[in-house]
Amino acid sequence: MKSRTCFSRSGEPLTEYQSESHARRGADYVREKWEKDMVPYPCDECGKWHLSPADRQTPSTYCHSCGKKLYETEEDAQRRAEIRREEGGVDLSVYKCPDNEGWHLTKGEF
Ligand SMILES: [Zn+2]
Ligand SMILES: [Zn+2]
């Protein structure tokens, strides 16, 4: 399924997956077919899963309290925000998770 809300840097719609296991299967397929190393990630925008090239990944875990990706350090979150800005012109700000040790990204002012 192509996403209607999320696009890659080149403007192509991203493929969306309903779950992490679907996304992993997608990543395996891409690896076999195109020999590209892709990593599934939960999307902040649409709540589904997409694939991202492994070298563009920033270390993160999933925060179940907020339903968002949780970045270990403020720097990782900033780096991710910059990638997102390049990719889609989305302006994201970084804030500290109120429930867990880590950082989130949010659109607009917080
Ligand atoms: Zn998305
Ligand atoms: Zn959180």
Side-chain angles (χ1 to χ4, degrees), residues 1-64:
M1 275 280 277
K2 293 288 176 194
S3 175
R4 270 187 272 170
T5 47
C6 305
F7 299 89
S8 75
R9 200 138 72 113
S10 52
E12 294 290 311
L14 293 171
T15 305
E16 63 182 30
Y17 300 92
Q18 299 301 322
S19 70
E20 186 176 3
S21 54
H22 282 103
R24 285 195 187 286
R25 242 171 287 156
D28 288 343
Y29 177 80
V30 170
R31 194 173 298 124
E32 272 175 30
K33 193 158 189 211
W34 309 103
E35 292 179 8
K36 274 202 277 185
D37 219 3
M38 304 292 276
V39 177
Y41 67 94
C43 181
D44 299 334
E45 298 293 309
C46 64
K48 305 228 169 75
W49 290 74
H50 304 302
L51 300 180
S52 167
D55 59 0
R56 291 181 75 79
Q57 277 295 305
T58 33
S60 67
T61 51
Y62 190 69
C63 174
H64 289 277

Side-chain angles (χ1 to χ4, degrees), residues 63 66 70 97 100 104:
C63 174
C66 308
L70 186 71
C97 176
N100 291 294
H104 290 304

Side-chain angles (χ1 to χ4, degrees), residues 57-82:
Q57 277 295 305
T58 33
S60 67
T61 51
Y62 190 69
C63 174
H64 289 277
S65 326
C66 308
K68 287 170 163 231
K69 284 215 283 189
L70 186 71
Y71 299 94
E72 236 173 83
T73 66
E74 194 177 358
E75 288 71 36
D76 288 339
Q78 290 287 7
R79 191 155 81 90
R80 188 66 205 158
E82 273 162 37

